[in-house]
Amino acid sequence: MLRLFAKANYDYLGVRRVAYMVTAAVALPGLATLLFRGVNYSIDFTGGTLIELQAHDAAIGDARLRAALEAGGIVGSEIQTFG
């Protein structure tokens, strides 16, 4: 029979203070960052709707599109161009 840990005798309680310090060194900067910068909810938690338009007329600009959306009741839109 194969025994990998035949005479295992580890002093876990002897190194607990070092483990506390390592845990604090990792956890405290993370908590400080969370307190000062806050949480970035991203689009996964903020919700929203994506509308993708394809226009062949180059005269349609961001301002004109935003005005049309606000007239339709969609305020605070974020308009990005691509392609």
Side-chain angles (χ1 to χ4, degrees), residues 15-65:
V15 296
R16 74 181 183 273
R17 288 185 176 87
V18 175
Y20 292 153
M21 287 188 277
V22 169
T23 301
V26 172
L28 290 178
L31 289 174
T33 302
L34 181 65
L35 288 174
F36 289 115
R37 293 185 65 194
V39 179
N40 180 9
Y41 289 112
S42 172
I43 195 164
D44 296 332
F45 296 104
T46 56
T49 302
L50 173 67
I51 301 173
E52 189 173 315
L53 301 173
Q54 181 178 4
H56 298 287
D57 187 8
I60 299 175
D62 292 346
R64 194 169 161 199
L65 185 58

